[in-house]
Amino acid sequence: MAGNNSFLVKMGQLDRRLVFVVIGIAVFLPLKFPIGLAVVTTPTTQDVFNAVDSIPEGSTVLVSFEYGPSTRPEIEPMAITLLRQLFNEKQKVVAMALWPDGQFMSTRVLERIADKEYGLKWGVDYVNLGYRPGQEAVIKGIAKDLRANYNSDVRNNPVEDLPIMDGIYTVKDFDFIFSLSAGYPGTVEWVLYAADPYGIPMSTGVTAIQVNEVIPYVKGGQIKGILAGMSGAAEYENLVKAGDATRFMDAQSVAHFLIVLFIILGNISYLVQRRKQTA
Amino acid sequence: MKRKRFGPSRLSAAFLLLVPYLAFAQDAGPDGGEAPAAYDPPPAAVTHLTARDAPDDAGKHIILEFERSADDAAGAADVVSYEVFRIDPAGIETSLGVLPVSNKDTLRLITFDDQMPGLVNGTEYSYKVVTRDASGSSDSKLDGTVRTSGQWFALGRFNMLFSVLMISFFILYFIKKAQRGEEIYLRPVAGLKAFDEAVGRATEMGKPVLYVPGIMDLDQVETVAGVIILGYVSKMTARYETELEVPVSRSLVMSNAREVCRSSYLSEGRPELYKDDMVHYLTDDQFAYAAGVDGIMLRKKPAACFYQGKFYAESLILAETGNSIGAIQIAGTASPSQLPFFITACDYTLIGEEFFAASAYLSKDPKLIGSLKGQDWAKGVVMIIIGVGAVVETLHVLGVLPFSLQPLLVAG
Amino acid sequence: MLWKTQIPVAIVFAVGMLTLIQWFVPHWPFDQIQVHTTQWFDIIAVFAVILGGLNLLKLQLQKVISRGRDWPYALVTIVGFLAMMVYGFSPVGVPEGIRLGDHLQANGSHFRWMFFNVFTPLSATMFALLAFFVASASYRAFRVRNAEATLLLVAGIILMLGRVPLGAKMTAFLPHFMQLPTVQEWIYAVPNLAGARAIMIGIGLGMVSTSLRFILGIEKSFLGGDE
């Protein structure tokens, strides 16, 4: 009995490196050998899909890239799926970035989806305006005069020569805003300085860490739904078309399950110890 | 079926348009070819076209509103587009853009913002909307003219001005009271009490104190608040002659933090202990910075780690590494999404308001303490507004009250 | 005293008041203030980067020259710093026909290669550490110490399982309102949201109060030199 107890106590004091190894294996194995668990759509993801789906055909949508290489695995699947849904519905996409590395992210995703997958025309069906410094001041700036902030796209074409930009002079001329955000400046700034004051419909995809900060705006109706981290990306992919994030969800499922197991082990150990001390 | 409008001019126009179709039908050959296309009269023009100056702005903005054509999503449902024209006093027409039509929209009212180049404050303009379908177009012109101008006060923000004045009044009133020597109660905050303990522990162990003032620049209030708290921590390290290490991720923060630390060491009478390099720059990049700070932690093994400022996803990376080296850790941030991580991994966490209040607590300056009391009163008023708002809105939704308070609370 | 405190406090007051006024006065020239001041800040911050870069180089060089502890790491920093400087600012590694500046995004440029093949995986690795640290932190900290901690623990477990397909599968046999995804959504949307909003309102008021202290010169310790 005493032996059992000491074993249980030890279970609560595992070396953290052991925890890391177990989590590492738990993530790696499902990536290599997928289980194929069915993804269940949460209402907030469904709201994003519905909001994008209800944009009238031929509208111009502003997609802002506010993430970098570190958060790419979490946000890029959302970006890819979003572009697919928009292009399937024949929407025009204007991309921009509030993060310097956001421009690298947008360039890569647009090359892959707009150019190679859909064969769309730059400046007509989509365009990448790129990054401008100034954080939220860029949003405030384009709310007043977009062309003062962006006089050319990333390929140095003057904005007035781009057919897609006909009639787009301020952020209010966009029919929809989508912020792909991993922090500041990002979703919250888009809500505060563009979507809410000018009544532009908006939706977002964020890292799981950020959800807590953004959810009050979603529930307040200022943002139409939210893609919450990898699971949000997987659910969204499932609604549009399957891809990477759905595959990653197996790994996340197993990892979450193991973390819960570790917490339970830690608590059993804690309770055994406490009983020992009070006995 | 498209709604027909009969009249002498319409009938003759219809006849003229039909002539080529009749001729085409006669030339169609023995098979007869395709059946002749039916006459498609021009679409109905848009109605109720109005224009007004946009409120609460610097001018150069006119808002147009009009109702869709009777042939858009109704009638013949064949409208292709609307084109909006601005007409200046000389009669010159400028196209402002073409609005595509899906013929599916049920919302009848269309709003169009004219903020295009060339719009001058104080000039009288007229507007015209051209409705097009495949075969023709119809115009609708604005009755009269409209001018745009800038306003000197944004009326829509009156509620915000009222809030700012109210909060300022409370804060200034209680600062005055505190200055007159009135005792103000401050609830104990465990995290702030632990500052001394943490620096003291580092001194006893002969190990350095690590201070991270967040990862953002000086344009963020949290960063400035973090630098202010650094002033107090550096006073303690100067007093106890403990090594202080402040890696920063922004160059401006580096300059500012150096100035604050220098001043602290000077005020404690230990200027010789101050070195510029105790505050040093690593990188602007979030995760490179986290890697750099983690490296410092693992190499120097500080006994106390302070994280005070604006943080993002690196918070847990820093705090878990700090935990692994057994440091006592005190975090403070106004980033709601990072609070759970800090609370889990650190010994003490200053949550939001407590973080901003830290300098008042630590300095015991009556002026700063008075401002906290004023802030609490403002919070009380906010709580009352939320309570009243919730009750009134609920009753409004239930149909008990005929009015809503929402328009008063929405900022323009 | 004049240069170290009074003039900076006067600047803070003037710019702070102007920024506040412009929010309520949309008329020219007030509508220009925010855009211009933010741009000034950015310009100053960009020049200050040089200061930071030089400081970084100086400290790392000192370490290498003095063969201080772990000096090879300092050498890696210097090499990385210089490599990105050269690839970013000079014609080295710029593909033919591509303008300097445009090469940052151009296929085949050394800068782009470094960005996607060195910087990206390194950054992703650091971010991925979170997965491990979340595990170790929750394993260590989530304990049934008291009623509040137990509530936190239970909510944490429901959220962790409810957000992944496995959680949905585990509770698929239960009525819909008892299934983990439904319960986690409720926790997110109701108790969590209430707490988050309360914290945000408090933070907002704290920011207003702190800003007011700066503008009115009640708090000036952030300027240094007031002692």
Side-chain angles (χ1 to χ4, degrees), chain A residues 16 20 56-59 70-71 92 99 101 135-136 143-144 147 166-170 172-173 182-185 189 196-197 209-213, chain B residues 61 95-97 100 102 104-105 113 115-117 157 216 219-220 250 285-287 310 312-313 320-321 324 334-338 340-341 411-412:
Chain A
R16 64 188 213 132
F20 294 164
E57 196 178 299
S59 298
S70 53
T71 42
K92 290 178 275 183
W99 290 25
D101 29 14
Q135 285 123 16
E136 66 262 42
K144 284 185 176 150
R147 287 158 196 236
D166 279 350
I168 308 250
Y169 292 90
T170 72
K172 289 161 257 180
D173 297 320
Y184 168 85
E189 285 68 33
D196 192 45
I209 292 174
Q210 266 207 291
V211 177
N212 224 10
E213 202 161 337
Chain B
H61 184 186
S95 172
L96 302 175
S102 65
K104 285 178 195 159
D105 288 297
D113 289 271
Q115 288 177 278
M116 317 298 168
R157 288 180 180 167
M216 300 309 286
D219 56 345
Q220 301 290 314
R250 306 284 163 155
D285 183 75
Q286 180 185 15
F287 290 105
K310 184 123 179 147
Y312 289 94
E320 265 301 281
T321 310
S324 74
S335 312
S337 51
Q338 303 313 317
F341 296 122

Coordinates of all heavy atoms in Angstrom, one line a residue, chain A residues 16 20 56-59 70-71 92 99 101 135-136 143-144 147 166-170 172-173 182-185 189 196-197 209-213, chain B residues 61 95-97 100 102 104-105 113 115-117 157 216 219-220 250 285-287 310 312-313 320-321 324 334-338 340-341 411-412:
Chain A
R16 N 9.8 17.6 -15.8 CA 9.1 18.2 -16.9 C 9.6 17.8 -18.3 O 8.9 17.8 -19.3 CB 9.1 19.7 -16.8 CG 10.4 20.4 -16.9 CD 10.3 21.9 -16.6 NE 11.2 22.7 -17.3 CZ 10.9 23.8 -18.0 NH1 9.7 24.2 -18.0 NH2 11.8 24.4 -18.7
F20 N 7.6 16.7 -21.6 CA 7.8 17.2 -23.0 C 8.0 16.1 -24.0 O 7.4 16.2 -25.1 CB 9.1 18.1 -23.0 CG 9.1 19.3 -22.2 CD1 10.2 20.0 -21.9 CD2 7.9 19.9 -21.8 CE1 10.2 21.2 -21.1 CE2 7.8 21.0 -21.1 CZ 9.0 21.7 -20.7
P56 N -22.3 39.5 -51.1 CA -22.9 39.5 -52.5 C -21.7 39.2 -53.5 O -20.6 39.7 -53.3 CB -23.4 40.9 -52.7 CG -23.6 41.5 -51.4 CD -22.6 40.8 -50.5
E57 N -22.0 38.4 -54.5 CA -21.0 38.0 -55.5 C -20.4 39.2 -56.2 O -21.1 40.2 -56.4 CB -21.7 37.1 -56.5 CG -20.7 36.3 -57.4 CD -21.5 35.4 -58.4 OE1 -22.2 34.6 -57.9 OE2 -21.3 35.6 -59.6
G58 N -19.1 39.2 -56.4 CA -18.5 40.3 -57.1 C -18.1 41.4 -56.1 O -17.6 42.5 -56.6
S59 N -18.2 41.2 -54.8 CA -17.8 42.2 -53.9 C -16.3 42.3 -53.7 O -15.6 41.4 -54.1 CB -18.4 41.9 -52.5 OG -19.8 41.9 -52.6
S70 N 6.1 32.6 -37.0 CA 5.9 31.8 -35.8 C 4.4 31.2 -35.7 O 4.2 30.1 -35.4 CB 6.2 32.6 -34.6 OG 5.4 33.8 -34.6
T71 N 3.5 32.1 -36.1 CA 2.1 31.7 -36.0 C 1.5 31.2 -37.3 O 0.3 30.9 -37.4 CB 1.2 32.9 -35.5 OG1 1.7 34.0 -36.1 CG2 1.4 33.0 -34.0
K92 N -13.7 39.6 -55.1 CA -12.3 40.2 -55.4 C -11.6 40.4 -54.0 O -12.3 40.8 -53.0 CB -12.5 41.5 -56.1 CG -13.0 41.3 -57.6 CD -13.2 42.6 -58.3 CE -14.5 43.1 -58.0 NZ -14.8 44.4 -58.7
W99 N 1.6 43.9 -40.3 CA 2.9 43.4 -39.7 C 3.9 43.3 -40.9 O 3.5 42.9 -42.0 CB 2.7 42.0 -39.2 CG 1.9 41.9 -37.9 CD1 1.0 42.7 -37.4 CD2 2.0 40.8 -36.9 NE1 0.5 42.3 -36.3 CE2 1.1 41.1 -35.9 CE3 2.8 39.7 -36.8 CZ2 0.9 40.3 -34.8 CZ3 2.6 38.9 -35.7 CH2 1.7 39.2 -34.7
D101 N 6.2 41.1 -41.4 CA 6.3 39.8 -42.0 C 5.0 39.3 -42.5 O 4.9 38.2 -43.2 CB 6.9 38.8 -41.0 CG 6.7 39.1 -39.6 OD1 5.8 40.0 -39.3 OD2 7.4 38.5 -38.7
Q135 N 1.1 50.7 -37.5 CA 0.1 49.9 -36.7 C -1.3 50.4 -37.0 O -1.7 50.6 -38.1 CB 0.5 49.9 -35.3 CG 1.7 49.0 -35.0 CD 2.8 49.7 -34.3 OE1 2.7 50.7 -33.8 NE2 4.0 49.0 -34.4
E136 N -2.0 50.7 -35.9 CA -3.4 51.1 -36.0 C -3.6 52.4 -36.8 O -4.6 52.7 -37.3 CB -4.2 51.2 -34.7 CG -3.7 52.3 -33.7 CD -2.8 51.7 -32.7 OE1 -1.9 50.9 -33.1 OE2 -2.9 52.1 -31.5
A143 N -9.0 54.7 -43.4 CA -10.4 55.0 -43.2 C -10.7 56.4 -43.7 O -11.8 56.7 -44.1 CB -10.7 55.0 -41.7
K144 N -9.6 57.2 -43.8 CA -9.8 58.6 -44.4 C -9.5 58.6 -45.8 O -10.1 59.2 -46.6 CB -8.9 59.6 -43.6 CG -9.5 59.9 -42.2 CD -8.8 61.0 -41.5 CE -9.4 61.3 -40.2 NZ -8.5 61.7 -39.2
R147 N -5.6 55.8 -50.6 CA -4.6 56.1 -51.6 C -3.4 56.9 -51.1 O -2.4 56.9 -51.6 CB -5.2 56.6 -52.9 CG -6.0 55.6 -53.6 CD -7.0 56.1 -54.6 NE -7.9 55.1 -54.9 CZ -8.1 54.7 -56.2 NH1 -7.6 55.3 -57.2 NH2 -9.0 53.8 -56.4
D166 N -10.9 50.3 -58.5 CA -11.9 51.3 -59.0 C -13.0 51.5 -57.9 O -13.6 50.6 -57.5 CB -12.6 50.8 -60.3 CG -11.8 51.0 -61.5 OD1 -10.7 51.7 -61.4 OD2 -12.1 50.5 -62.6
G167 N -13.2 52.7 -57.6 CA -14.2 53.1 -56.6 C -13.8 52.8 -55.1 O -14.6 52.9 -54.2
I168 N -12.6 52.3 -54.9 CA -12.1 52.1 -53.5 C -11.2 53.2 -53.1 O -10.1 53.3 -53.6 CB -11.4 50.7 -53.4 CG1 -12.3 49.6 -54.0 CG2 -10.9 50.5 -52.0 CD1 -12.8 48.6 -53.2
Y169 N -11.7 54.1 -52.3 CA -11.0 55.3 -51.9 C -10.7 55.2 -50.4 O -9.7 55.8 -49.9 CB -11.7 56.5 -52.3 CG -11.7 56.7 -53.8 CD1 -12.7 56.2 -54.5 CD2 -10.6 57.4 -54.4 CE1 -12.7 56.4 -55.9 CE2 -10.6 57.5 -55.8 CZ -11.7 57.0 -56.5 OH -11.7 57.2 -57.9
T170 N -11.6 54.6 -49.6 CA -11.4 54.5 -48.2 C -11.8 53.1 -47.8 O -12.4 52.3 -48.6 CB -12.3 55.4 -47.4 OG1 -13.6 55.0 -47.5 CG2 -12.2 56.9 -47.9
K172 N -14.1 52.2 -46.1 CA -15.6 52.1 -46.2 C -16.1 51.5 -47.5 O -17.2 51.0 -47.6 CB -16.3 53.4 -45.9 CG -16.1 53.9 -44.5 CD -16.3 55.4 -44.4 CE -15.0 56.1 -44.2 NZ -15.1 57.6 -44.1
D173 N -15.3 51.6 -48.5 CA -15.7 51.1 -49.8 C -15.5 49.6 -50.0 O -15.9 49.0 -51.0 CB -14.9 51.8 -50.9 CG -15.1 53.3 -50.9 OD1 -16.3 53.7 -50.7 OD2 -14.2 54.1 -51.1
A182 N -2.6 37.5 -35.3 CA -1.9 36.7 -34.2 C -1.5 37.7 -33.1 O -0.7 37.3 -32.2 CB -0.7 36.0 -34.8
G183 N -2.0 38.9 -33.1 CA -1.7 39.8 -32.0 C -1.9 41.2 -32.3 O -2.8 41.6 -33.1
Y184 N -1.0 42.1 -31.8 CA -1.2 43.5 -32.1 C -0.2 44.0 -33.2 O 0.9 43.6 -33.2 CB -0.8 44.3 -30.8 CG -0.7 45.8 -31.0 CD1 -1.8 46.6 -31.0 CD2 0.6 46.3 -31.2 CE1 -1.6 48.0 -31.2 CE2 0.7 47.7 -31.5 CZ -0.4 48.5 -31.4 OH -0.2 49.9 -31.6
P185 N -0.7 44.9 -34.1 CA -2.0 45.3 -34.3 C -2.8 44.2 -35.0 O -2.2 43.5 -35.9 CB -1.9 46.6 -35.1 CG -0.6 46.4 -35.9 CD 0.3 45.6 -35.0
E189 N -7.9 46.1 -33.2 CA -7.7 47.4 -33.8 C -8.7 47.6 -35.1 O -9.2 48.7 -35.3 CB -6.3 47.6 -34.3 CG -5.3 47.9 -33.1 CD -5.1 46.7 -32.2 OE1 -5.2 45.5 -32.7 OE2 -5.0 46.9 -31.0
D196 N -16.3 48.8 -36.6 CA -17.4 49.3 -35.7 C -17.8 50.7 -36.1 O -19.0 51.0 -36.3 CB -17.0 49.1 -34.3 CG -18.2 49.4 -33.3 OD1 -19.2 48.9 -33.6 OD2 -18.0 50.1 -32.4
P197 N -16.8 51.7 -36.2 CA -17.3 53.0 -36.5 C -17.9 53.2 -37.8 O -18.8 54.1 -38.0 CB -16.0 53.9 -36.4 CG -14.9 52.9 -36.1 CD -15.4 51.6 -35.9
I209 N -4.6 31.5 -28.4 CA -4.2 32.4 -27.3 C -5.0 33.7 -27.3 O -5.4 34.2 -26.3 CB -2.7 32.7 -27.4 CG1 -1.9 31.5 -27.1 CG2 -2.4 33.8 -26.4 CD1 -0.4 31.7 -27.3
Q210 N -5.3 34.2 -28.5 CA -6.0 35.5 -28.6 C -7.5 35.5 -28.4 O -8.1 36.5 -28.2 CB -5.7 36.0 -30.0 CG -4.5 36.9 -30.1 CD -4.8 37.8 -31.2 OE1 -4.7 37.4 -32.4 NE2 -5.0 39.1 -30.9
V211 N -8.1 34.3 -28.5 CA -9.5 34.2 -28.5 C -10.2 34.9 -27.3 O -11.1 35.7 -27.5 CB -10.0 32.7 -28.5 CG1 -11.5 32.6 -28.4 CG2 -9.4 32.0 -29.7
N212 N -9.6 34.8 -26.1 CA -10.1 35.4 -24.9 C -10.3 36.9 -25.1 O -11.2 37.5 -24.6 CB -9.1 35.1 -23.8 CG -9.9 34.7 -22.6 OD1 -11.1 34.5 -22.6 ND2 -9.1 34.7 -21.5
E213 N -9.3 37.5 -25.8 CA -9.3 38.9 -26.0 C -10.3 39.4 -27.0 O -10.8 40.5 -26.9 CB -7.9 39.4 -26.4 CG -7.6 40.8 -26.1 CD -6.1 41.0 -26.1 OE1 -5.3 40.1 -25.9 OE2 -5.7 42.2 -26.3
Chain B
H61 N -16.9 64.8 -47.8 CA -17.6 63.5 -47.7 C -19.1 63.8 -47.8 O -19.7 64.5 -46.9 CB -17.3 62.9 -46.3 CG -17.9 61.5 -46.2 ND1 -17.8 60.8 -45.0 CD2 -18.5 60.7 -47.1 CE1 -18.4 59.6 -45.2 NE2 -18.9 59.6 -46.4
S95 N -17.6 60.4 -63.1 CA -18.1 59.1 -62.6 C -17.4 58.7 -61.3 O -16.2 58.8 -61.2 CB -17.8 58.0 -63.7 OG -18.1 56.8 -63.2
L96 N -18.2 58.3 -60.3 CA -17.6 58.0 -59.0 C -17.5 56.4 -58.8 O -17.0 56.0 -57.8 CB -18.5 58.5 -57.9 CG -18.7 60.1 -58.0 CD1 -19.7 60.5 -56.9 CD2 -17.4 60.8 -57.8
G97 N -18.0 55.7 -59.8 CA -17.9 54.3 -59.6 C -19.1 53.5 -60.1 O -20.2 54.1 -60.2
P100 N -21.9 47.0 -59.0 CA -22.5 45.8 -59.6 C -23.8 45.3 -58.9 O -24.0 45.6 -57.7 CB -21.4 44.7 -59.4 CG -20.6 45.2 -58.3 CD -20.7 46.6 -58.2
S102 N -26.5 42.1 -58.1 CA -26.7 40.7 -58.2 C -28.2 40.3 -58.5 O -28.5 39.2 -58.8 CB -26.3 40.0 -56.9 OG -27.1 40.4 -55.9
K104 N -30.3 40.0 -56.4 CA -30.8 39.1 -55.3 C -31.0 39.8 -54.0 O -31.6 39.3 -53.1 CB -29.7 38.0 -55.1 CG -29.7 36.9 -56.2 CD -28.6 35.9 -55.9 CE -28.2 35.1 -57.1 NZ -26.9 34.5 -57.0
D105 N -30.5 41.1 -54.0 CA -30.6 41.8 -52.7 C -32.0 42.2 -52.3 O -32.7 42.7 -53.1 CB -29.7 43.0 -52.8 CG -28.2 42.7 -52.8 OD1 -27.8 42.1 -51.8 OD2 -27.6 42.9 -53.8
D113 N -21.0 56.4 -50.5 CA -20.2 57.5 -49.9 C -19.3 58.1 -50.9 O -18.5 57.5 -51.6 CB -19.2 56.9 -48.8 CG -20.0 56.5 -47.6 OD1 -20.2 57.4 -46.7 OD2 -20.4 55.4 -47.5
Q115 N -16.3 60.2 -51.3 CA -15.1 60.8 -50.7 C -14.0 60.8 -51.7 O -12.9 60.9 -51.4 CB -14.7 59.9 -49.5 CG -15.6 60.0 -48.3 CD -15.1 59.1 -47.2 OE1 -15.4 57.9 -47.3 NE2 -14.3 59.6 -46.3
M116 N -14.5 60.8 -53.0 CA -13.5 60.7 -54.1 C -12.7 62.0 -54.2 O -13.2 63.1 -53.8 CB -14.2 60.4 -55.4 CG -15.2 59.3 -55.3 SD -14.6 57.8 -54.8 CE -16.1 56.9 -54.5
P117 N -11.6 61.9 -54.9 CA -10.8 63.2 -55.1 C -11.6 64.2 -55.8 O -12.5 63.8 -56.6 CB -9.6 62.7 -55.9 CG -9.5 61.2 -55.7 CD -10.9 60.8 -55.4
R157 N -19.8 62.1 -30.6 CA -18.9 61.7 -29.5 C -19.1 62.4 -28.2 O -18.3 62.5 -27.3 CB -17.4 61.9 -30.0 CG -17.1 60.9 -31.0 CD -15.7 61.0 -31.5 NE -15.4 60.0 -32.5 CZ -14.4 60.0 -33.3 NH1 -13.5 61.0 -33.3 NH2 -14.2 59.0 -34.2
M216 N 6.5 45.6 -26.3 CA 6.0 46.7 -27.2 C 6.8 48.0 -26.9 O 7.6 48.1 -26.0 CB 4.5 46.9 -27.0 CG 3.7 45.7 -27.3 SD 4.0 44.9 -28.8 CE 3.3 46.1 -29.9
D219 N 4.8 53.7 -27.3 CA 3.5 54.3 -27.6 C 2.4 53.5 -27.0 O 1.2 53.8 -27.1 CB 3.3 54.3 -29.2 CG 3.4 53.0 -29.8 OD1 4.0 52.1 -29.2 OD2 3.0 52.9 -31.0
Q220 N 2.7 52.4 -26.2 CA 1.7 51.7 -25.5 C 1.8 52.1 -24.0 O 2.9 52.1 -23.4 CB 2.0 50.2 -25.6 CG 2.0 49.7 -27.0 CD 0.6 49.6 -27.6 OE1 -0.3 49.2 -27.0 NE2 0.5 50.2 -28.8
R250 N 12.8 47.0 -27.7 CA 12.6 48.2 -28.5 C 13.7 49.2 -28.1 O 13.9 49.4 -26.9 CB 11.2 48.8 -28.3 CG 10.1 47.9 -28.5 CD 9.8 47.7 -29.9 NE 9.0 46.5 -30.1 CZ 8.2 46.2 -31.1 NH1 8.2 47.1 -32.1 NH2 7.5 45.1 -31.2
D285 N 12.0 41.4 -32.7 CA 11.2 40.3 -33.0 C 10.7 39.5 -31.8 O 11.5 39.2 -30.9 CB 11.9 39.3 -34.0 CG 11.0 38.2 -34.4 OD1 10.1 38.4 -35.2 OD2 11.2 37.1 -33.8
Q286 N 9.4 39.2 -31.7 CA 8.8 38.7 -30.6 C 9.5 37.4 -30.0 O 9.9 37.3 -28.9 CB 7.3 38.4 -30.9 CG 6.5 37.8 -29.8 CD 5.1 37.4 -30.3 OE1 4.8 37.3 -31.5 NE2 4.2 37.2 -29.3
F287 N 9.6 36.4 -30.9 CA 10.1 35.1 -30.4 C 11.6 35.1 -30.4 O 12.2 34.3 -29.6 CB 9.5 34.0 -31.3 CG 8.1 33.8 -31.0 CD1 7.1 34.2 -31.9 CD2 7.6 33.3 -29.8 CE1 5.8 34.1 -31.6 CE2 6.3 33.2 -29.5 CZ 5.3 33.6 -30.4
K310 N 3.5 45.0 -21.7 CA 2.5 44.4 -22.6 C 3.2 43.1 -23.2 O 4.3 43.1 -23.7 CB 2.3 45.4 -23.8 CG 1.3 44.9 -24.8 CD 0.1 45.8 -24.9 CE -0.9 45.4 -25.9 NZ -2.2 45.8 -25.5
Y312 N 2.5 39.1 -25.3 CA 1.7 38.3 -26.1 C 2.1 36.8 -25.9 O 2.4 36.5 -24.7 CB 1.9 38.7 -27.6 CG 1.2 40.1 -27.8 CD1 1.9 41.2 -27.8 CD2 -0.2 40.1 -28.1 CE1 1.2 42.5 -27.9 CE2 -0.8 41.3 -28.2 CZ -0.1 42.5 -28.2 OH -0.7 43.7 -28.3
A313 N 2.1 36.1 -26.9 CA 2.3 34.6 -26.7 C 3.6 34.2 -26.1 O 3.8 33.1 -25.6 CB 2.2 33.9 -28.1
E320 N 7.6 30.1 -17.9 CA 7.9 28.7 -17.6 C 9.4 28.5 -17.5 O 9.9 27.7 -16.7 CB 7.3 27.8 -18.8 CG 6.0 27.2 -18.5 CD 6.0 26.3 -17.2 OE1 6.4 25.1 -17.3 OE2 5.5 26.8 -16.2
T321 N 10.1 29.2 -18.3 CA 11.6 29.1 -18.2 C 12.0 29.7 -16.9 O 12.9 29.1 -16.2 CB 12.3 29.9 -19.4 OG1 11.7 29.4 -20.6 CG2 13.8 29.6 -19.4
S324 N 11.4 27.2 -14.3 CA 12.3 26.0 -14.3 C 13.7 26.3 -13.6 O 14.4 25.4 -13.2 CB 12.6 25.6 -15.8 OG 13.5 26.5 -16.4
A334 N -1.7 44.2 -18.7 CA -3.1 44.5 -19.1 C -3.5 43.8 -20.3 O -4.4 44.2 -21.0 CB -3.2 46.0 -19.3
S335 N -2.8 42.7 -20.7 CA -3.1 41.9 -21.8 C -4.0 40.8 -21.3 O -3.5 39.8 -20.8 CB -1.9 41.3 -22.5 OG -0.9 42.3 -22.7
P336 N -5.4 40.9 -21.5 CA -6.3 39.9 -20.9 C -5.9 38.4 -21.3 O -6.0 37.5 -20.5 CB -7.6 40.3 -21.4 CG -7.5 41.7 -21.9 CD -6.1 41.9 -22.3
S337 N -5.5 38.3 -22.6 CA -5.3 36.9 -23.0 C -4.0 36.3 -22.4 O -3.8 35.1 -22.4 CB -5.2 36.8 -24.5 OG -4.3 37.8 -25.0
Q338 N -3.1 37.1 -21.8 CA -1.9 36.5 -21.2 C -2.0 36.3 -19.7 O -1.2 35.6 -19.1 CB -0.7 37.4 -21.5 CG -0.4 37.7 -23.0 CD -0.5 36.4 -23.8 OE1 0.1 35.4 -23.5 NE2 -1.2 36.5 -25.0
P340 N -4.1 34.4 -17.9 CA -4.1 33.0 -17.4 C -2.7 32.4 -17.4 O -2.4 31.6 -16.5 CB -5.0 32.3 -18.5 CG -5.8 33.4 -19.1 CD -4.9 34.6 -19.1
F341 N -1.9 32.7 -18.4 CA -0.6 32.1 -18.4 C 0.3 32.5 -17.3 O 1.0 31.8 -16.6 CB 0.1 32.4 -19.8 CG -0.6 31.8 -20.9 CD1 -1.0 32.6 -22.0 CD2 -0.8 30.4 -21.0 CE1 -1.7 32.0 -23.1 CE2 -1.4 29.9 -22.1 CZ -1.9 30.7 -23.1
A411 N -20.8 55.3 -29.4 CA -19.9 56.4 -29.7 C -19.9 56.6 -31.2 O -19.9 55.6 -32.0 CB -18.5 56.1 -29.3
G412 N -19.9 57.8 -31.7 CA -19.9 58.1 -33.1 C -18.5 58.1 -33.7 O -17.6 58.1 -33.0

